[in-house]
Amino acid sequence: MRLTPQQLEQFDRDGYLFFPGLFTPEETRTLTDAVPDLYARREAYNVREKGSDAVRTNFAAHLTSEPFARLARHPRMVQPVMDLFDEEVYMHQFKINGKMAFEGDVWQWHQDYGTWLNDDMMPTERAMNVAIFLDDVNEFNGPLMFIPGSHKKGVVEAKHDLTTTSYPLWTVDNELIAKLVERAGGKDGGIVSPKGPAGSMILFHSCLVHASSSNLSPWNRVSVYLSLCAVSNHIRRFKRPEYIAHRDFTPIACLPDDCLLQPYPVDVPWKNGMPASALATTSEPFDQLKKAA
Amino acid sequence: MRLTPQQLEQFDRDGYLFFPGLFTPEETRTLTDAVPDLYARREAYNVREKGSDAVRTNFAAHLTSEPFARLARHPRMVQPVMDLFDEEVYMHQFKINGKMAFEGDVWQWHQDYGTWLNDDMMPTERAMNVAIFLDDVNEFNGPLMFIPGSHKKGVVEAKHDLTTTSYPLWTVDNELIAKLVERAGGKDGGIVSPKGPAGSMILFHSCLVHASSSNLSPWNRVSVYLSLCAVSNHIRRFKRPEYIAHRDFTPIACLPDDCLLQPYPVDVPWKNGMPASALATTSEPFDQLKKAA
């Protein structure tokens, strides 16, 4: 799957591209079926909702679960990102966000690259967010909301919100959100919310400002959020544990296009549990670590 | 404004009727302009959001503010309700719900009549909810969600939720919500969410199960929620204070259709503050009160 010049232009202007139904129901089911077992595990990589047992986000499933290890190497997902960066990519972050029926809480307005810069010392914005729907997404189950064009502002000011939800987030000030929405068209397109069947994919810029509302509906809205980073742009600090911000900068080698349905061999290094090193952190920049070594 | 046989049938089937743009922008503005002053008052009748100064709900504005006193007597609102009940009505409850930009929190799934029965001893369901939009309502600012036909179940089981938000509410169990949504069509119409410009009106049955999500958008979604009760169906207990559940069962006398724009005289008894009696409560049923008097 290669991007057209129109798609490249659209991505530059809006900061995202939407591919409804990119993965078939059969392909998607291999992923959805693997989620309950992952969510049931009592491991650091499962962050639960405030005051509830529902999983808010699961980390590093591509290292703990075979179906997700395959997805992490899927050419329909990886190739367009390499096209956009004109470079090979590695997996910086891999999350399965629950947004479970009745329980799924909000994600406040934020940019992802702000965190990657501040916490992980990722040098530039050359990392891409990929959302893959494991459930149908409609207006009632807390769809992702984007402010089109907001990626053009680069990294904007943010404050570290440690209280609103169970997951700490660098969130953007309300006044700035109001300005960005107004600039993007106000009530006429200033916020957009791609909806579609399970198996749909969104690519979105690491500086695109986004949020999602709570899910009061009886329908789960489980999504995979991958962050693919250009290899030359790898992070320079290991302040966050490895299961959140990965340290293996090896370029992704894609599997064939039918990899979700065929048993190609794939490595699942943490399938029997995380190594102690996955929890280790340091606040020293990578350069100093290398010098010390 | 009289309801057609088709509208009466639709109300019976779905439990609600939607009238987009029923009040003109000029009429609506007389109401919207009066809200900031009402919300600024430090009075018991303003309930604020949990951990925030934003108003979640304001009570009894028809007794404290002239524009809302006019709305409470508007024939475009009152006449259809009298048509549906074939009886005169009085004002049981009058709220202006904030659902303010960025701050507006969820209202969990609930029915209103459950509260009126349990707390106020209202004998039957012959009371109508009326929602009037003071702001444009779109998919992003926490629109009201209904489960069509759910009013046919009568009063369903509910538990008293005192913790989720700042306002106590008898909320319906998740499992029952899932069943009701499935019965109403599941993802194909099992939840509906009327959206439209400021000035739109919804009439909905007092047993219709409804909810609304949080408002993360930069757009306020202020709405007036009126509850008109058939006079013969007046409440029998004053367990809740009068500013929440009213005790004046006098039938509403409508003003002319242009009452939001013309200075017809109107009574605003609490404009200089609430009387002490508005805060008094008793758990004794009305019949016993009458006997004792």
Side-chain angles (χ1 to χ4, degrees), chain B residues 115-181:
Chain B
T115 304
W116 304 341
L117 174 66
N118 291 324
D119 286 352
D120 307 329
M121 291 184 68
M122 184 187 283
T124 76
E125 311 160 1
R126 285 171 60 79
M128 179 72 71
N129 275 316
V130 183
I132 295 167
F133 301 176
L134 298 195
D135 290 299
D136 299 343
V137 174
N138 58 44
E139 68 179 283
F140 303 113
N141 60 359
L144 207 48
M145 302 186 285
F146 297 127
I147 305 176
S150 55
H151 63 301
K152 299 269 190 190
K153 299 286 279 188
V155 179
V156 299
E157 210 182 325
K159 63 176 198 300
H160 211 190
D161 181 344
L162 301 165
T163 59
T164 308
T165 69
S166 63
Y167 188 71
L169 203 62
W170 288 90
T171 62
V172 181
D173 178 66
N174 292 346
E175 205 176 329
L176 179 55
I177 294 297
K179 273 187 206 153
L180 290 171
V181 170

Side-chain angles (χ1 to χ4, degrees), chain B residues 58-63 72 77-78 81 85 88-95 111-130 167 206 225-231 233-252 270:
Chain B
N58 162 283
F59 287 98
H62 65 308
L63 303 178
M77 185 267 292
V78 179
V81 180
F85 291 145
E88 289 187 303
V89 293
Y90 79 94
M91 186 67 65
H92 169 56
Q93 200 165 50
F94 194 112
K95 295 185 288 182
Q111 296 177 306
D112 286 0
Y113 178 62
T115 304
W116 304 341
L117 174 66
N118 291 324
D119 286 352
D120 307 329
M121 291 184 68
M122 184 187 283
T124 76
E125 311 160 1
R126 285 171 60 79
M128 179 72 71
N129 275 316
V130 183
Y167 188 71
S206 61
Y225 291 94
L226 303 155
S227 308
L228 298 176
C229 185
V231 169
N233 192 43
H234 70 78
I235 64 172
R236 305 298 203 246
R237 184 164 66 179
F238 301 157
K239 191 180 162 188
R240 299 197 296 170
E242 187 181 2
Y243 71 89
I244 295 179
H246 296 293
R247 300 167 190 177
D248 178 355
F249 310 140
T250 313
I252 296 174
W270 295 358

Side-chain angles (χ1 to χ4, degrees), chain A:
Chain A
M1 196 179 92
R2 313 302 296 242
L3 298 178
T4 65
Q6 288 74 20
Q7 286 175 314
L8 294 171
E9 196 189 320
Q10 193 182 338
F11 181 84
D12 179 62
R13 184 187 65 231
D14 298 336
Y16 73 98
L17 288 173
F18 183 42
F19 305 88
L22 182 72
F23 297 96
T24 68
E26 197 188 355
E27 288 175 324
T28 308
R29 205 170 305 117
T30 66
L31 302 167
T32 314
D33 286 352
V35 171
D37 169 58
L38 278 174
Y39 275 10
R41 299 182 195 172
R42 296 285 150 184
E43 296 274 4
Y45 55 63
N46 277 330
V47 177
R48 289 168 199 277
E49 297 282 9
K50 209 169 179 172
S52 152
D53 205 45
V55 170
R56 178 170 179 78
T57 189
N58 162 284
F59 287 98
H62 65 309
L63 303 178
T64 65
S65 157
E66 194 163 315
F68 289 101
R70 296 174 185 288
L71 178 67
R73 293 159 175 83
H74 204 293
R76 253 177 274 162
M77 186 266 293
V78 178
Q79 187 62 52
V81 181
M82 292 198 297
D83 277 6
L84 277 158
F85 289 146
D86 200 19
E87 186 183 340
E88 289 186 304
V89 294
Y90 78 95
M91 187 66 66
H92 169 57
Q93 200 163 51
F94 194 112
K95 294 184 290 183
I96 310 173
N97 283 7
K99 185 77 75 177
M100 302 305 275
F102 301 114
E103 308 269 5
D105 204 351
V106 303
W107 289 86
Q108 311 97 296
W109 292 105
H110 68 285
Q111 295 177 305
D112 287 359
Y113 179 62
T115 304
W116 304 340
L117 174 66
N118 291 324
D119 287 352
D120 307 330
M121 289 183 71
M122 184 187 283
T124 77
E125 311 160 0
R126 286 172 59 79
M128 180 71 71
N129 275 315
V130 183
I132 294 167
F133 302 176
L134 299 195
D135 290 299
D136 300 343
V137 174
N138 58 44
E139 67 179 285
F140 303 113
N141 60 358
L144 208 46
M145 301 186 285
F146 297 127
I147 305 176
S150 55
H151 63 300
K152 298 269 188 188
K153 299 286 279 188
V155 179
V156 300
E157 210 181 323
K159 63 176 198 301
H160 211 190
D161 181 346
L162 302 164
T163 59
T164 307
T165 68
S166 63
Y167 187 71
L169 203 63
W170 288 90
T171 62
V172 180
D173 178 66
N174 292 347
E175 205 176 329
L176 180 55
I177 294 297
K179 274 188 204 152
L180 291 171
V181 170
E182 204 47 49
R183 206 190 56 154
K187 285 181 185 169
D188 188 18
I191 302 177
V192 296
S193 189
K195 300 169 202 80
S200 299
M201 179 174 87
I202 310 171
L203 302 184
F204 63 102
H205 193 283
S206 61
C207 287
L208 194 69
V209 179
H210 59 290
S212 66
S213 200
S214 45
N215 181 6
L216 291 180
S217 85
W219 306 304
N220 292 340
R221 200 221 67 182
V222 180
S223 306
V224 185
Y225 291 94
L226 304 155
S227 309
L228 298 176
C229 186
V231 169
S232 64
N233 192 43
H234 68 79
I235 64 172
R236 305 300 202 246
R237 184 164 69 179
F238 300 157
K239 190 180 161 188
R240 299 196 297 169
E242 188 180 3
Y243 72 88
I244 295 178
H246 296 293
R247 300 167 188 176
D248 178 355
F249 309 140
T250 313
I252 295 172
C254 286
L255 290 170
D257 191 74
D258 58 353
C259 63
L260 287 173
L261 302 176
Q262 298 300 325
Y264 302 109
V266 71
D267 194 26
V268 188
W270 295 357
K271 71 178 162 207
N272 297 319
M274 285 198 289
S277 61
L279 296 162
T281 60
T282 167
S283 58
E284 276 187 278
F286 190 65
D287 286 351
Q288 290 171 26
L289 289 181
K290 277 207 296 195
K291 273 181 212 145

